[in-house]
Amino acid sequence: MAGVVGSGAQVSYISQDCKEIPEFLGRKYGSVAKRLDLSFNLLRSLEGLKTFSCLEELILDNNLLGNDLRLPRLPHLHTLTLNKNQISDLEHLLDHLVDVVPSLEYLSLLGNMACPNELVSEEKDEDDYQRYRYFVLHKLINLKFLDTRKVTKWEREEALLRGAFMKVVKPKDAKEFPRHLPLSEAESQLQPAAEASSNDAASVSPESHYTPLPSGSRDLTNHRGVLGKCRYIYYGKHSEGNRFIRDDQL
């Protein structure tokens, strides 16, 4: 049991390069631990947490936890930190937390792709981060702290009004070129689909395509001009370009 630091209800098992929670931790500390720190490991699964039914604080920073993260039901857990993991699907995580940690008041997701700020991408700014906060607070209504900042009354009100619309919707991935194939081979695989799309477009009658022209000029075989009337007459005196034309150039 080297590496374990236990003091009353607090247990730490840090920097042990473990890929799963050791069984002996649950056997010895599961029924008494209220704070468990498993930071700086290689965890991909939290299967061993089932015996820690009394947990109030859980520290899981700097691991390899991803979108398949699954926690057992921990009714007393009020603090959860998941900084610097591999979580990218924010809504999936939040829906899971709503079900298993109903008493959660403090959550930190810094360093994950699911938390958009400068730590994960230079393209993200404060507006992106604020929208993320609204969405999280819309899902987890009991949170008092999110990441490093206290939840304000104003944020909570905004989350109630607009949080549901702050979700970042990613477009469905189009059929991409297989990365393990040469470009020419990948293109050849997509060629039949492109040809089918072209044939479908060609089979659509001209009348089904939108055109702003009057009905009398929509026949592609009948090329006629269309005369219209307009109340506005352009004299050119307000043209920005006229300011740069001298009299001797007219």
Side-chain angles (χ1 to χ4, degrees):
M1 291 186 288
V4 181
V5 178
S7 176
Q10 300 187 24
V11 180
S12 298
Y13 193 67
I14 302 173
S15 300
Q16 299 301 308
D17 293 335
C18 61
K19 298 180 181 179
E20 58 185 20
I21 300 173
E23 293 183 5
F24 73 84
L25 281 180
R27 288 196 306 267
K28 184 171 183 179
Y29 302 103
S31 60
V32 296
K34 292 186 177 181
R35 185 182 190 275
L36 178 61
D37 190 344
L38 297 171
S39 302
F40 296 96
N41 282 292
L42 303 174
L43 294 177
R44 295 180 181 273
S45 169
L46 300 176
E47 188 72 22
L49 282 179
K50 291 181 179 180
T51 55
F52 290 85
S53 58
C54 300
L55 277 184
E56 297 179 359
E57 299 179 46
L58 179 58
I59 316 300
L60 296 168
D61 301 340
N62 291 276
N63 278 283
L64 302 177
L65 299 168
N67 294 329
D68 56 350
L69 178 152
R70 284 293 177 273
L71 287 165
R73 183 169 177 80
L74 300 170
H76 307 293
L77 192 75
H78 57 70
T79 299
L80 174 64
T81 67
L82 289 161
N83 300 316
K84 293 189 177 180
N85 277 275
Q86 299 178 355
I87 302 168
S88 59
D89 191 335
L90 179 61
E91 184 174 26
H92 182 71
L93 172 67
L94 297 180
D95 288 341
H96 176 59
L97 296 181
V98 169
D99 292 335
V100 298
V101 285
S103 302
L104 193 64
E105 297 181 347
Y106 177 93
L107 174 67
S108 187
L109 298 173
L110 293 172
N112 290 277
M113 292 301 296
C115 176
N117 60 15
E118 292 84 354
L119 291 176
V120 296
S121 174
E122 295 180 354
E123 298 178 356
K124 303 299 181 181
D125 56 22
E126 182 61 25
D127 289 339
D128 295 311
Y129 180 69
Q130 189 61 63
R131 285 191 291 270
Y132 146 85
R133 287 180 65 88
Y134 290 148
F135 186 66
V136 173
L137 296 176
H138 162 70
K139 290 283 190 176
L140 303 175
I141 60 176
N142 294 324
L143 278 190
K144 296 181 179 179
F145 280 83
L146 177 56
D147 301 326
T148 60
R149 283 160 41 182
K150 183 178 180 179
V151 176
T152 66
K153 180 181 178 182
W154 176 77
E155 279 185 314
R156 199 175 300 282
E157 293 173 352
E158 286 293 306
L160 181 63
L161 293 174
R162 301 192 296 157
F165 308 105
M166 296 295 107
K167 174 184 176 182
V168 178
V169 180
K170 296 181 180 179
K172 293 183 178 179
D173 293 335
K175 191 172 184 181
E176 298 179 349
F177 293 135
R179 298 182 182 275
H180 62 283
L181 296 177
L183 181 59
S184 58
E185 187 174 349
E187 288 176 337
S188 67
Q189 290 189 5
L190 295 181
Q191 187 66 26
E195 292 178 354
S197 177
S198 177
N199 293 336
D200 292 342
S203 64
V204 178
S205 61
E207 289 77 14
S208 64
H209 290 289
Y210 169 76
T211 172
L213 298 177
S215 58
S217 63
R218 294 179 183 178
D219 185 357
L220 299 181
T221 62
N222 186 10
H223 302 284
R224 293 183 298 173
V226 178
L227 178 63
K229 293 182 179 181
C230 179
R231 294 183 179 180
Y232 175 74
I233 302 176
Y234 175 69
Y235 293 103
K237 63 181 180 179
H238 297 298
S239 171
E240 292 294 326
N242 290 345
R243 296 188 305 165
F244 306 99
I245 302 177
R246 299 192 302 271
D247 292 340
D248 59 354
Q249 292 177 327
L250 297 175

